[in-house]
């Protein structure tokens, strides 16, 4: 899952960046509204973590512009501005959730998970499909009730595929959501992870659609 | 203590104008009455004289009325006419039985008969004594009636005038009443301006002043609201950072991660500490309103040198060329500690926001009666649109990476205000960055202190 962090405070930014990366998210960090908008024009993100008090172009303007472009990307506003009117304005401008600084990291991560879950049209916290269940909160993968240890990247691929069974994701799409700018991506990195995943959870779950990409087939039972 | 009674302008105007009109009318009526009375008297007198004169040819010197005066007339005449000879022989009497005293002195006189006072006119014509008398009471009543009638138009006019005064006063004050209603019926929290349309020029300045006050209050409220929002942001951000940094420390698995986390936590605590310190300085300086009780002459050039030396190491770290261009010996009245904080903040700001290898110039200039402290830098400066805001609390130059508290220039302004000094912030003409100029009133020492040679350059 790839996140965009928009935060002008250096100290907060670097801590959040590291903490989110530790959680296995691919995170890019921009420090002002103008850059955020230009980045959002070209890159795809699964979620945007937005501060409101930004230089050059404030957070609400970023949000408004983003929604004017008909972007569906979930936006979690994380700000120190806590007045009720500001929260209402933020949510009405198109934010999906609003969290006030100083926030608890656990709470913020839970909100991120909830937004990601909802954005793929799911309500249940644990995804289960054909005997394979994954829990985004604990990052546990179970195959027929047996816990399986997977790497962070393998987990991310599995999560993306299991979230929307029947949807084919191309290698490029997977790569984009797997890596932030700082990560160098080797040409067959996705294949390597998928190969490793198949060994751990069984070869038949993840299907290769030749020339298109990968999917978890709905048809399997 | 007697409380001043609030009065209504309208009531006061009406009362005074009414009183003026009524008093004037009374005086006028009285004068008219008196004049009319006197005139009537004169007319009556004239009548009596004319009557007496007209009787002269009508009677013989020794005969009774041949011209057929009807003596048996029963009516009671107001006038009594009597003609007699010089030897008191009655020649003619208009009202028999009412004899007039045959006096020798001619002209007007009074006499009384049967309880009635008469006014008598006596005329001597040859041997005849012609006398005309008139009942004084009847004469007076007539005169009064006449005089009174002359005052009636005045009374009518007065009534009209009173009504007119009432109408003029009420309609003139109507716009004032409208403003009063407009103000009294508004909501308590409303700071909207009062409509000045149709107001007379006397009231307009007052309402304009009220509007100005309302506008200033609105601005103050807005500034306060902005401040609260900014304060929320500025106070929470360091705390958010600390919380996240602690979380990071807690989650760090390796020794290296832990070291990074501890380092970050340290800078986070420094930042929060600095913010708290600056807030305290600001609060203390804002509460410090009694400058005059403990102000003393401060040798400001010496203080500048101290501040300069304090900041110099920081400038060196960034390889900033910092120099003292001019240092005139001069004094200002003030508090040393406050002025030191002010200088420190100006210089700190310059160093903080100037890039590496830039230049900062400090000058202390004595301009006759004023002292200028001038700090110029070759840094990025601030956008023109922000010159007005730069001294607001928590204002920070957009996009500036330096993590200041945003309070530095607010502190500078507070201290400058305390010393009645002027601050001017603009683009530096010589270095291209920001120029901060603080202008104090120079203090002249009565006795010249021991002559100090001009400060030498900085010793580092």
């Amino acid at each position: 899952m790839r996140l965009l962090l928009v935060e002008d405070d250096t100290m907060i930014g670097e801590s959040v960046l590291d903490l989110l990366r530790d959680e296995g998210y691919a995170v890019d960090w921009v420090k002002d509204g103008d850059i955020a908008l230009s980045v959002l024009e070209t890159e795809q993100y699964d979620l945007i973590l937005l501060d409101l008090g930004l230089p050059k172009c404030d957070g609400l303007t970023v949000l408004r512009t983003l929604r004017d472009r008909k972007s569906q990307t979930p936006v979690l506003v994380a700000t120190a501005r806590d007045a009720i009117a500001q929260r209402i304005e933020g949510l009405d401008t198109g934010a999906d959730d609003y969290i006030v600084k100083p926030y608890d990291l656990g709470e913020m991560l839970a909100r991120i998970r909830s937004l990601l879950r909802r954005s793929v049209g799911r309500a249940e916290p644990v995804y289960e499909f054909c005997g394979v269940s994954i829990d985004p909160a604990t990052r546990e993968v179970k195959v027929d009730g047996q816990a399986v240890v997977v790497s962070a990247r393998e987990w991310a691929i599995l999560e993306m595929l299991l979230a929307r069974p029947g949807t084919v994701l191309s290698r490029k799409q997977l790569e984009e959501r797997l890596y932030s700018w700082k990560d160098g991506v080797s040409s067959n990195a996705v294949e390597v992870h998928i190969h490793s995943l198949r060994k751990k959870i069984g070869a038949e779950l993840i299907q290769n659609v030749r020339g298109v990409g990968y999917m978890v087939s709905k048809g399997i039972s | 203590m007697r409380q001043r009674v609030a009065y209504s302008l309208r009531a006061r105007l009406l009362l005074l104008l009414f009183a003026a009109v009524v008093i004037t009318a009374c005086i006028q009526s009285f004068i008219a009455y008196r004049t009319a009375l006197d005139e009537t008297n004169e007319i009556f007198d004239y009548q009596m004289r004319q009557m007496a004169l007209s009787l002269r040819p009508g009677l013989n010197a020794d005969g009774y009325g041949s011209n057929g005066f009807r003596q048996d007339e029963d009516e009671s005449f107001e006038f009594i006419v009597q003609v007699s000879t010089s030897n008191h022989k009655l020649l003619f009497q208009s009202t028999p039985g009412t004899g007039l005293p045959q006096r020798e002195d001619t002209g007007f006189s009074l006499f009384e008969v049967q309880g009635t006072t008469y006014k008598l006119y006596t005329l001597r014509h040859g041997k005849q004594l012609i006398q005309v008398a008139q009942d004084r009471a009847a004469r007076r009543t007539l005169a009064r009636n006449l005089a009174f009638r002359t005052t009636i138009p005045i009374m009518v006019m007065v009534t009209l005038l009173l009504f007119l005064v009432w109408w003029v006063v009420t309609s003139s004050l109507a716009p004032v009443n409208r403003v009063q209603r407009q103000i009294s019926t508004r909501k308590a929290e409303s700071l909207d301006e009062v409509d000045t349309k149709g107001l007379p020029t006397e009231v307009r300045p007052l309402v304009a002043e009220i509007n100005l006050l309302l506008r200033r209050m609105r601005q103050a409220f807005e500034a306060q609201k902005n401040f609260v929002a900014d304060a929320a942001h500025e106070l929470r951000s360091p705390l958010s950072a600390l919380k996240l940094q602690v979380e990071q420390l807690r989650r760090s698995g390796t020794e290296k991660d832990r070291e990074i986390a501890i380092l970050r936590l340290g800078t986070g605590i420094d930042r929060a500490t600095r913010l708290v310190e600056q807030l305290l300085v600001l609060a203390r300086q804002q509460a410090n309103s009694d400058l005059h009780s403990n102000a003393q002459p401060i040798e400001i050039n010496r203080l500048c040198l101290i501040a300069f030396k304090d900041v110099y190491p920081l400038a060196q770290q960034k390889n900033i060329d910092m120099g003292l261009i001019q240092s005139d010996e001069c004094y200002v009245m003030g508090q040393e500690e406050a002025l030191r904080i002010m200088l420190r903040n100006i210089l700190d700001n310059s160093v903080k926001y100037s890039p590496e290898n830039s230049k900062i110039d400090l000058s202390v200039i004595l301009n006759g009666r004023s002292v200028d402290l001038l700090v110029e830098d070759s840094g990025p400066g601030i956008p023109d649109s922000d010159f007005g805001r730069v001294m607001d609390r928590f204002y920070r130059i957009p996009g500036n990476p330096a993590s200041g508290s945003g309070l530095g220039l607010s502190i500078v302004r507070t201290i400058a205000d305390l010393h009645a000094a002027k601050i001017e912030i603009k683009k530096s003409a010589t270095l291209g960055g920001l120029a901060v100029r603080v202008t104090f009133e120079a203090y002249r020492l009565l006795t010249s202190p021991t002559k100090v040679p001009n400060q030498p350059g900085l010793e580092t």
Side-chain angles (χ1 to χ4, degrees):
Chain A
M1 291 285 158
R2 191 166 174 202
L3 269 50
L4 179 67
L5 169 64
V6 191
E7 171 66 66
D8 66 322
D9 190 301
T10 317
M11 282 188 190
I12 295 176
E14 62 189 17
S15 292
V16 172
L17 186 69
D18 286 357
L19 287 162
L20 286 177
R21 280 186 177 154
D22 284 350
E23 286 291 310
Y25 295 108
V27 189
D28 294 328
W29 173 23
V30 295
K31 293 181 185 173
D32 73 57
D34 279 357
I35 300 177
L37 279 175
S38 58
V39 163
L40 283 164
E41 240 170 318
T42 53
E43 310 270 336
Q44 276 294 318
Y45 291 94
D46 293 294
L47 184 137
I48 300 161
L49 199 60
L50 183 67
D51 182 19
L52 289 188
L54 293 172
K56 287 186 187 163
C57 170
D58 73 75
L60 280 179
T61 312
V62 172
L63 192 54
R64 204 169 289 125
T65 315
L66 189 69
R67 293 309 184 214
D68 283 349
R69 291 178 190 164
K70 308 286 178 220
S71 165
Q72 302 282 317
T73 315
V75 174
L76 171 55
V77 169
T79 178
R81 302 191 185 275
D82 67 330
I84 300 289
Q86 286 168 326
R87 297 185 200 203
I88 291 172
E89 194 184 3
L91 290 169
D92 281 347
T93 309
D96 296 272
D97 204 352
Y98 200 103
I99 188 166
V100 175
K101 289 177 188 171
Y103 46 73
D104 182 81
L105 185 75
E107 183 189 350
M108 190 187 70
L109 292 173
R111 284 177 191 267
I112 289 175
R113 283 194 296 272
S114 143
L115 287 176
L116 290 173
R117 193 161 69 220
R118 281 292 175 183
S119 71
V120 295
R122 282 176 175 268
E124 68 274 21
V126 179
Y127 304 166
E128 190 166 5
F129 198 77
C130 297
V132 179
S133 73
I134 62 168
D135 183 349
T138 57
R139 305 195 157 260
E140 276 179 343
V141 179
K142 284 180 182 168
V143 180
D144 298 326
Q146 294 292 308
V148 175
V149 179
V150 296
S151 76
R153 300 256 191 255
E154 289 163 6
W155 199 90
I157 290 174
L158 188 59
E159 186 187 8
M160 278 186 269
L161 290 171
L162 266 185
R164 278 178 247 180
T167 310
V168 183
L169 292 174
S170 70
R171 199 187 70 181
K172 184 145 189 312
Q173 278 176 313
L174 287 172
E175 263 173 15
E176 270 178 1
R177 290 175 167 192
L178 222 48
Y179 299 101
S180 62
W181 301 325
K182 68 154 200 172
D183 305 313
V185 188
S186 57
S187 58
N188 61 348
V190 172
E191 279 93 337
V192 172
H193 291 313
I194 293 211
H195 179 73
S196 165
L197 257 180
R198 279 179 170 156
K199 271 205 250 173
K200 290 175 182 171
I201 62 169
E204 62 279 2
L205 185 71
I206 301 173
Q207 293 188 338
N208 189 354
V209 182
R210 239 174 336 108
V212 184
Y214 302 92
M215 68 179 281
V216 168
S217 173
K218 264 182 168 172
I220 295 178
S221 54
Chain B
M1 209 175 81
R2 216 177 64 131
Q3 200 171 355
R4 262 189 86 93
V5 182
Y7 62 87
S8 144
L9 199 60
R10 180 169 168 274
R12 191 182 155 92
L13 267 178
L14 283 177
L15 192 75
L16 290 180
L17 284 173
F18 277 14
V21 167
V22 168
I23 290 171
T24 314
C26 285
I27 293 171
Q28 201 188 349
S29 302
F30 179 72
I31 292 172
Y33 178 79
R34 289 299 314 179
T35 314
L37 212 58
D38 290 349
E39 300 259 316
T40 324
N41 260 332
E42 264 173 44
I43 290 169
F44 283 155
D45 289 349
Y46 174 77
Q47 269 183 330
M48 283 166 75
R49 217 169 61 235
Q50 287 304 311
M51 201 180 288
L53 285 172
S54 62
L55 280 171
R56 280 176 308 182
L59 291 167
N60 299 325
D62 47 7
Y64 277 90
S66 56
N67 55 350
F69 265 88
R70 279 188 289 172
Q71 296 168 25
D72 50 345
E73 198 73 49
D74 206 19
E75 291 172 43
S76 68
F77 278 105
E78 196 184 316
F79 285 96
I80 303 168
V81 182
Q82 179 181 300
V83 184
S84 53
T85 58
S86 51
N87 49 0
H88 302 291
K89 187 182 168 200
L90 214 59
L91 292 180
F92 169 75
Q93 202 169 25
S94 64
T95 317
T98 316
L100 299 178
Q102 297 173 3
R103 289 183 182 162
E104 291 304 305
D105 48 339
T106 56
F108 288 102
S109 59
L110 291 174
F111 77 96
E112 201 177 319
V113 70
Q114 293 164 5
T116 312
T117 308
Y118 287 91
K119 186 155 190 183
L120 176 71
Y121 179 71
T122 310
L123 176 75
R124 188 169 290 282
H125 179 69
K127 289 178 183 168
Q128 290 178 1
L129 193 70
I130 305 170
Q131 288 180 301
V132 179
Q134 188 182 13
D135 181 349
R136 204 173 65 153
R139 178 190 157 111
R140 271 193 181 161
T141 311
L142 267 177
R144 275 184 192 142
N145 285 344
L146 202 70
F148 183 69
R149 273 201 294 278
T150 62
T151 66
I152 288 177
I154 296 176
M155 297 302 169
V156 174
M157 291 313 283
V158 162
T159 319
L160 206 66
L161 200 58
L162 288 182
F163 178 75
L164 212 65
V165 163
W166 172 82
W167 180 77
V168 166
V169 168
T170 306
S171 63
S172 301
L173 289 176
V176 179
N177 286 338
R178 181 173 59 75
V179 168
Q180 186 258 331
R181 263 200 313 279
Q182 207 181 335
I183 291 175
S184 65
T185 55
R186 62 167 49 202
K187 286 191 195 132
E189 68 271 24
S190 165
L191 290 175
D192 291 340
E193 286 170 30
V194 180
D195 188 10
T196 55
K197 236 185 292 163
L199 278 184
T201 44
E202 288 84 355
V203 187
R204 198 186 289 260
L206 179 73
V207 176
E209 278 302 314
I210 292 175
N211 280 343
L212 212 63
L213 182 72
L214 286 171
R215 205 175 309 145
R216 278 202 298 270
M217 275 174 73
R218 210 166 47 220
Q219 281 163 357
F221 272 129
E222 246 146 58
Q224 187 63 20
K225 235 160 68 182
N226 284 344
F227 167 69
V228 171
D230 287 345
H233 186 259
E234 294 302 323
L235 297 178
R236 283 195 175 122
S237 292
L239 293 180
S240 306
L242 283 180
K243 207 161 171 175
L244 290 164
Q245 282 155 349
V246 167
E247 188 67 26
Q248 215 178 351
L249 180 62
R250 202 170 61 76
R251 292 179 178 220
S252 55
T254 66
E255 193 61 37
K256 193 172 151 249
D257 283 353
R258 197 157 25 248
E259 257 169 45
I260 293 173
I262 288 173
L263 194 73
R264 283 182 180 173
L265 188 57
T267 54
I269 291 171
D270 285 349
R271 173 184 169 189
T273 312
R274 167 112 182 116
L275 176 65
V276 170
E277 270 168 11
Q278 289 283 73
L279 265 179
L280 282 177
V281 167
L282 184 60
R284 217 171 279 143
Q285 292 304 332
Q286 280 176 340
N288 184 3
S289 54
D290 59 343
L291 169 73
H292 301 289
S293 59
N294 47 12
Q296 52 192 34
I298 307 288
E299 198 183 348
I300 194 82
N301 52 322
R302 188 183 55 83
L303 211 60
C304 280
L305 191 67
I306 294 172
F308 190 106
K309 284 178 180 172
D310 285 347
V311 178
Y312 196 78
L314 300 173
Q316 268 189 323
Q317 278 174 20
K318 291 175 84 174
N319 201 19
I320 293 172
D321 171 19
M322 190 168 159
L324 190 61
I325 301 302
Q326 190 178 347
S327 180
D328 296 343
E329 186 197 337
C330 46
Y331 291 81
V332 301
M333 274 303 267
Q335 293 175 4
E336 183 161 348
E337 176 64 11
L339 290 172
R340 195 186 59 73
I341 291 170
M342 185 184 84
L343 284 164
R344 210 27 227 276
N345 269 291
I346 298 176
L347 289 173
D348 273 349
N349 250 7
S350 281
V351 172
K352 195 183 292 167
Y353 293 109
S354 291
E356 300 213 341
N357 305 315
S358 57
K359 196 174 172 190
I360 297 176
D361 285 350
L362 169 65
S363 328
V364 184
I365 308 155
L366 179 63
N367 277 332
R369 291 192 171 180
S370 64
V371 175
D372 278 5
L373 304 182
L374 181 62
V375 179
E376 291 180 279
D377 64 47
S378 61
I382 56 171
D384 287 352
S385 55
D386 284 12
F387 278 120
R389 283 203 59 209
V390 73
M391 277 183 286
D392 286 355
R393 289 169 290 191
F394 296 127
Y395 168 81
R396 217 180 269 132
I397 300 163
N400 199 296
S403 60
S405 63
L407 292 172
L409 282 179
S410 297
I411 293 173
V412 170
R413 183 173 62 177
T414 306
I415 295 175
D417 286 350
L418 185 68
H419 289 81
K422 260 198 346 250
I423 305 186
E424 187 188 27
I425 294 181
K426 57 177 189 183
K427 194 175 163 67
S428 164
T430 51
L431 297 181
L434 199 65
V436 180
R437 182 194 296 270
V438 188
T439 308
F440 290 91
E441 193 187 338
Y443 177 76
R444 284 154 192 269
L445 286 181
L446 289 177
T447 51
S448 184
T450 46
K451 185 74 185 160
V452 184
N454 265 359
Q455 294 290 349
L458 181 79
E459 308 138 31
T460 53

